[in-house]
């Protein structure tokens, strides 16, 4: 591993922060924390922390000796001084005299001694930083170091590799006891330049920022060099099908199996989002004949457990054209996983007199031989984190097995981390949005109604895919929504284009739960004289387009087996024809009945079909110029024309979007047509 330290960069940051009144110590602490945080071989998603002992004025202006230590919720790769809250060092050091300190009290003492009471919680490893004397302390979960220490003979390997330059601390869960033990190990030999925390990670010390950082790089490099010695070939591949099934076929089957009916709400399902990874290293790992052994030993470092659970799910290899076999195999594997997880919880909860509350028992990492791996989470963001950690575990375990045998901490130790109140707090207790875990696809998403609808679904917690004939418009609208929203080109008049777009959605998020078939365009003509080609063209888009989208969505929903929701934009034309709008209204009327047919044919599968019957919305169909012309022709102001309904209120694209969201949330409603037109008695249904 190469050092990324650049003198001129370090000095530039010192100058930049000096202008904001931030001292050299903290500026350099920020600099090397970022260097460590940007290397996924060292730090991933909160796994690691750093500190500096310095002096700062407190709120009264009194010069105070403090420990600036990484605060929870900050990413090391992009940390700012505010992410390193200052804690009174003398108070922290006093704690070492205690025999015991429970986690809650430790957090309380740390918070009570913050210089700024509004600062984030200092890291759970703060006391370890405070109990060693060095000015700069760096901590990472380096994959190379983990490969060395996640071994039955990890301690001997470290002695061989580090030859007395590093202290070795036995495995203890992070917190007060670990901090005390680490300080004891250091005191026994104060010459050491850092500590190896068995089956957890590495600490390095320095008198300045560069020394602590360069020692981290040097000691990680030693571990890397040892991993290259005496390697055996891993892994021997299992016998796999000639051709693996496609990702777009595999993902919905995995996702459907990895979901749970919500016992509290009839019809509700707890779903997860998927994030797929595959490369040579992952395939070598998941294809191994012994994957069921080495993948099930446990986590590579304890804090992964809250994101990945202790064990990934291993499913059978999916053969092309045999998706029914794969579906059965995955379902059996998930049921076995859930039973195993519940037994693990019961076994370990007994040690706490049943005082813990079980988390959902679904896997967060799924290994698919011949294909790759999935990270799973309640959002795309969480799924990505799980996949990142799973990829790091693949690399750690592969190297560990190449020089020996991978071994994790005990099941009881993993449980203590997974159900540790401080780790649970990291995940946050914010209430979830109503559509969390769901995937919504919107067609015609480049236009006013489509983009407003995608935005509303994202705001309700769904992951959204925006489909449009105009790829740039779809991408621009997705970018405006932000998060994991994606824009995809889709021509709903072309079945292959629709299938390809839905495949992309399944590959990206794992499946589809809600499809809003919104794309449409208005053709006009007096019905007795209009050219048949105009009528056919309109049917192609305004009827067959909806059918293609609904069919593609239904296929994925049936594969998942967790129901779903089809939503259609049918115009008021479907109910109440306007003069010369036959070519538009007739296919829309057919689409209204398409909604009912889907509701009828797929109700037993839990797939609902509903429609919104909107009118007079400013959009691509009703442009500003058309509004100006029509209101003028009727002798009305634009406002009176647009509000020409029973409520005298202009109806907006956002109103239509909210109606779609409401239909998606109404679990007992299907074959519904919701009128969003401000009141038009001629277009009222029944
Ligand atoms: Zn750690």
């Amino acid at each position: 591993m190469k050092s990324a330290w650049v003198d001129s960069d370090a000095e530039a940051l010192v100058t930049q922060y000096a202008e904001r009144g931030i001292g050299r110590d903290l500026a350099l602490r920020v600099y090397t924390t970022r260097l460590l945080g940007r290397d996924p071989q060292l730090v991933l998603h909160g796994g690691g922390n750093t500190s500096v002992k310095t002096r700062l004025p407190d709120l009264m202006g009194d010069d105070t000796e403090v420990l600036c230590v990484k605060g929870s919720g900050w990413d090391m790769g992009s940390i700012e001084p505010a992410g390193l809250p200052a804690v009174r060092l003398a108070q922290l050091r006093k704690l070492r005299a205690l025999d015991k300190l429970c986690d809650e009290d430790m957090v309380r003492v740390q918070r009570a001694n913050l210089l700024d009471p509004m600062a984030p919680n200092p890291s759970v490893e703060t006391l370890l930083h405070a109990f060693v004397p060095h000015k700069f302390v760096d901590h990472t979960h380096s994959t190379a170091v983990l490969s060395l220490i996640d071994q039955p003979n990890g301690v001997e390997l470290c002695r061989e590799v580090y030859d007395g330059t590093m202290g070795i601390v036995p495995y203890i869960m992070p917190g007060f006891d670990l901090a005390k033990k680490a300080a004891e190990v250091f005191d026994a030999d104060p010459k050491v330049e850092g500590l190896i925390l068995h089956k957890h990670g590495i600490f390095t010390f320095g008198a300045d920022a560069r020394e602590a950082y360069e020692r981290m790089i040097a000691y990680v490099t030693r571990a890397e060099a040892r991993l290259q010695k005496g390697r055996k070939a891993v892994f021997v591949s299992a016998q796999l099908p000639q051709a693996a099934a496609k990702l777009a076929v595999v993902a919905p089957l995995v996702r459907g199996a990895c979901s749970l009916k919500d016992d509290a709400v009839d019809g509700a399902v707890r779903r997860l989002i998927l994030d797929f990874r595959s490369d040579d290293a992952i395939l070598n790992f998941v294809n191994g004949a012994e994957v069921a052994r080495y993948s099930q030993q446990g986590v590579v470092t304890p804090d992964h457990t809250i994101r990945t659970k202790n064990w990934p799910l291993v499913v059978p290899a999916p053969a092309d054209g045999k998706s029914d076999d794969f579906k059965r195999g995955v379902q059996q594997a998930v049921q076995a996983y859930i039973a195993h997880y519940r037994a693990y919880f019961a076994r370990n909860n007994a040690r706490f007199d049943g005082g813990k509350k079980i988390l959902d028992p679904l896997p967060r990492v799924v290994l698919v031989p011949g294909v790759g791996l999935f990270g799973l989470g309640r959002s795309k963001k969480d799924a990505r984190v799980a996949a990142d950690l799973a990829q790091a575990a693949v690399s750690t375990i592969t190297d560990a097995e190449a020089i020996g045998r991978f071994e994790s901490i005990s099941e009881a130790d993993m449980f203590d981390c997974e159900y540790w109140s401080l780790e649970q707090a990291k995940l946050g207790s914010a209430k979830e949005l109503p559509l969390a875990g769901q995937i919504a696809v919107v067609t015609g998403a480049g236009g006013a109604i489509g983009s407003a609808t995608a935005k509303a679904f994202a705001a309700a917690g769904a992951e959204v895919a925006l489909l449009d004939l105009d790829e740039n418009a779809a991408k621009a609208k997705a970018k405006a929504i932000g998060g994991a929203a994606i824009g995809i080109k889709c021509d709903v008049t072309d079945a292959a284009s629709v299938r390809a777009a839905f495949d992309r959605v399944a590959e990206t998020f794992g499946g589809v739960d809600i499809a809003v078939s919104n794309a449409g365009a208005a053709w006009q003509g007096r019905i007795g004289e209009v050219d048949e080609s105009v009528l056919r063209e309109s049917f192609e888009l305004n009827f067959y387009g909806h059918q293609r989208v609904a069919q593609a969505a239904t296929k994925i929903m049936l594969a998942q087996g967790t129901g779903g929701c089809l939503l259609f934009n049918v115009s008021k034309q479907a109910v109440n024809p306007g003069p010369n709008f036959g070519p538009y209204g007739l296919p829309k009327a057919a689409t209204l009945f398409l909604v009912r047919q889907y509701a009828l044919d797929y109700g037993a599968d839990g797939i609902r079909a509903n429609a919104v019957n909107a009118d007079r919305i400013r959009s691509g169909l009703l442009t500003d110029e058309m509004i100006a012309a029509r209101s003028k022709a009727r002798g009305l102001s634009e406002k009176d024309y647009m509000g020409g309904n029973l409520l005298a209120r202009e109806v907006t694209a956002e109103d239509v979007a909210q109606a779609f969201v409401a239909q998606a949330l109404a679990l007992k409603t299907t074959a519904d047509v919701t009128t969003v037109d401000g009141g038009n008695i001629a277009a009222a249904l029944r």
Side-chain angles (χ1 to χ4, degrees):
M1 172 163 283
K2 292 237 174 341
S3 166
W5 178 284
V6 177
D7 276 330
S8 54
D9 289 356
E11 289 308 320
L13 202 63
V14 169
T15 310
Q16 188 192 320
Y17 280 126
E19 286 162 14
R20 288 160 51 183
I22 288 160
R24 186 175 179 87
D25 283 351
L26 198 48
L28 290 174
R29 180 66 286 175
V30 166
Y31 177 63
T32 57
T33 301
R34 287 182 187 167
L35 295 185
L36 296 169
R38 282 171 192 170
D39 189 337
Q41 298 293 312
L42 294 175
V43 171
L44 269 179
H45 304 297
N49 41 63
T50 58
S51 69
V52 59
K53 297 176 182 78
T54 186
R55 302 192 75 86
L56 287 175
D58 69 7
L59 290 177
M60 307 302 289
D62 291 336
D63 186 56
T64 312
E65 189 185 18
V66 293
L67 177 78
C68 291
V69 60
K70 196 201 141 238
S72 71
W74 281 83
D75 177 348
M76 284 172 66
S78 56
I79 204 156
E80 293 287 340
L84 291 151
V87 197
R88 291 172 199 278
L89 186 55
Q91 300 298 101
L92 294 179
R93 280 180 173 146
K94 275 189 201 163
L95 295 173
R96 208 183 148 186
L98 298 178
D99 284 332
K100 282 217 162 317
L101 180 65
C102 75
D103 296 331
E104 284 71 19
D105 285 346
M106 181 180 82
V107 171
R108 218 170 273 147
V109 176
Q110 288 172 187
R111 278 212 69 80
N113 286 291
L114 284 167
L115 284 201
D116 174 2
M118 308 305 279
N121 268 340
S123 156
V124 296
E125 279 156 347
T126 294
L127 293 184
L128 202 163
H129 289 262
F131 291 172
V132 295
H134 305 80
K135 189 172 175 72
F136 283 82
V137 177
D138 294 11
H139 170 47
T140 74
H141 297 168
S142 148
T143 52
V145 171
L146 289 174
S147 295
L148 207 63
I149 60 185
D150 287 349
Q151 302 267 354
N153 62 338
V155 171
E156 290 87 88
L157 276 170
C158 284
R159 290 214 176 97
E160 171 205 321
V161 170
Y162 294 117
D163 195 23
T165 52
M166 298 289 273
I168 299 173
V169 184
Y171 179 78
I172 299 175
M173 190 171 136
F176 179 68
D177 294 344
L178 173 61
K180 263 192 92 150
K181 185 73 192 171
E184 268 170 39
V185 171
F186 172 77
D187 286 349
D189 184 5
K191 294 190 310 297
V192 296
E193 296 177 352
L195 296 171
I196 298 291
L197 272 53
H198 194 41
K199 296 189 175 175
H200 173 158
I202 172 172
F203 276 78
T204 53
F205 312 139
D208 59 47
R210 182 158 190 183
E211 186 174 52
Y213 171 76
E214 298 285 6
R215 282 178 175 169
M216 178 65 71
I217 302 303
Y219 290 127
V220 168
T221 304
R222 278 206 210 178
E224 287 174 339
R226 178 60 185 82
L227 295 176
Q228 295 313 313
K229 281 204 319 202
R231 277 177 86 92
K232 58 179 192 279
V234 284
F235 297 101
V236 178
S237 179
Q239 194 78 29
L240 293 174
Q242 286 276 310
K246 282 196 313 180
L247 174 59
V249 173
V250 170
L253 296 173
V254 168
R255 181 167 182 262
C258 293
S259 57
L260 269 186
K261 279 204 170 64
D262 182 342
D263 293 333
V265 186
D266 192 15
V269 178
R270 184 176 174 84
R271 300 171 169 94
L272 299 173
I273 307 295
L274 272 51
D275 188 63
F276 179 70
R277 305 291 166 91
S278 192
D279 62 20
D280 289 348
I282 291 171
L283 286 172
N284 178 56
F285 187 89
V286 301
N287 293 357
E290 281 191 66
V291 65
R293 175 185 64 78
Y294 55 74
S295 73
Q296 300 299 303
Q297 299 303 306
V299 288
V300 297
T301 184
D303 83 337
H304 283 199
T305 178
I306 51 165
R307 300 297 207 152
T308 63
K309 289 218 156 84
N310 300 326
W311 311 280
L313 168 72
V314 184
V315 299
D320 194 24
K322 299 214 170 134
S323 51
D324 284 349
D325 291 351
F326 180 66
K327 187 174 187 173
R328 256 194 312 278
V330 173
Q331 283 172 344
Q332 280 167 7
V334 174
Q335 290 315 307
Y337 186 98
I338 291 173
H340 176 256
Y341 187 84
R342 289 191 166 134
Y344 148 80
F345 178 80
R347 224 167 23 240
N348 288 282
N349 194 25
R351 290 190 286 120
F352 296 88
D353 296 327
K356 304 282 183 185
K357 202 165 162 267
I358 192 167
L359 299 166
D360 90 45
L362 297 168
R364 290 299 187 273
V365 177
V366 178
L367 308 182
V368 190
V371 180
L373 70 79
F374 292 103
L376 287 75
R378 284 287 275 171
S379 63
K380 181 67 175 175
K381 193 173 159 224
D382 285 351
R384 277 184 189 140
V385 171
D388 284 347
L389 298 182
Q391 244 183 308
V394 162
S395 153
T396 302
I397 296 170
T398 301
D399 283 343
E401 290 272 321
I403 62 156
R405 203 173 185 85
F406 170 64
E407 188 185 82
S408 180
I409 52 177
S410 72
E411 178 188 287
D413 283 333
M414 286 191 271
F415 182 87
D416 291 351
C417 288
E418 188 177 5
Y419 284 89
W420 186 23
S421 53
L422 303 187
E423 285 290 5
Q424 293 298 313
K426 269 194 204 168
L427 293 176
S429 53
K431 204 173 176 311
E432 284 194 317
L433 291 164
L435 293 175
Q438 300 214 39
I439 300 156
V441 179
V442 181
T443 70
I449 292 177
S451 61
T453 300
K455 195 174 163 194
F457 274 96
E463 302 299 341
V464 293
L466 291 84
L467 277 46
D468 201 283
L469 186 58
D470 179 347
E471 188 176 8
N472 291 333
K475 287 188 167 159
K477 299 288 186 186
K479 199 171 170 211
I481 290 171
I486 52 164
I488 303 171
K489 181 181 172 66
C490 178
D491 177 0
V492 300
T493 67
D494 173 2
S497 170
V498 173
R499 281 196 300 269
F502 275 79
D503 278 357
R504 260 290 298 290
V505 178
E507 289 161 3
T508 306
F509 296 115
V512 172
D513 305 299
I514 299 157
V516 186
S517 187
N518 165 68
W523 277 268
Q524 294 185 46
R526 220 168 157 202
I527 198 65
E529 295 143 66
V530 71
D531 199 287
E532 187 177 311
S533 67
V534 172
L535 205 52
R536 284 187 185 278
E537 203 180 350
S538 180
F539 260 91
E540 206 50 65
L541 176 61
N542 292 316
F543 172 75
Y544 287 106
H546 291 292
Q547 161 63 358
R548 289 182 196 101
V549 167
Q551 208 165 47
T554 302
K555 190 177 166 205
I556 295 175
M557 289 172 186
L558 290 175
Q560 293 172 152
T562 49
C565 184
L566 304 170
L567 298 169
F568 300 82
N569 186 352
V570 301
S571 164
K572 73 113 197 174
Q573 289 291 329
V575 184
N576 168 220
N580 302 329
F581 267 96
Y584 180 55
L586 289 164
K588 285 286 192 180
T591 298
L592 182 62
F593 272 75
L594 185 73
V595 176
R596 296 177 176 188
Q597 198 65 50
Y598 271 95
L600 178 64
D601 287 354
Y602 295 99
D605 298 293
I607 299 172
R608 299 176 291 117
N610 296 303
V612 168
N613 173 25
D615 189 25
R616 219 171 277 186
I617 318 282
R618 241 175 248 278
S619 71
L621 296 189
L622 182 59
T623 61
D624 289 345
E625 298 80 69
M626 287 159 75
I627 292 165
R630 286 185 197 179
S631 45
K632 194 174 165 204
R634 293 178 204 192
L636 293 170
S637 70
E638 278 191 27
K639 188 170 179 297
D640 284 344
Y641 171 70
M642 290 305 284
N645 51 47
L646 300 177
L647 295 170
R649 291 177 191 153
E650 179 175 343
V651 185
T652 66
E654 285 71 27
D655 296 322
V656 179
Q658 289 309 323
F660 279 131
V661 171
Q663 287 180 328
L665 289 170
L667 296 174
K668 314 289 168 71
T669 298
T670 190
D672 171 56
V673 181
T674 292
T675 300
V676 186
D677 60 4
N680 172 357
I681 228 48
L685 286 119
R686 292 205 293 195

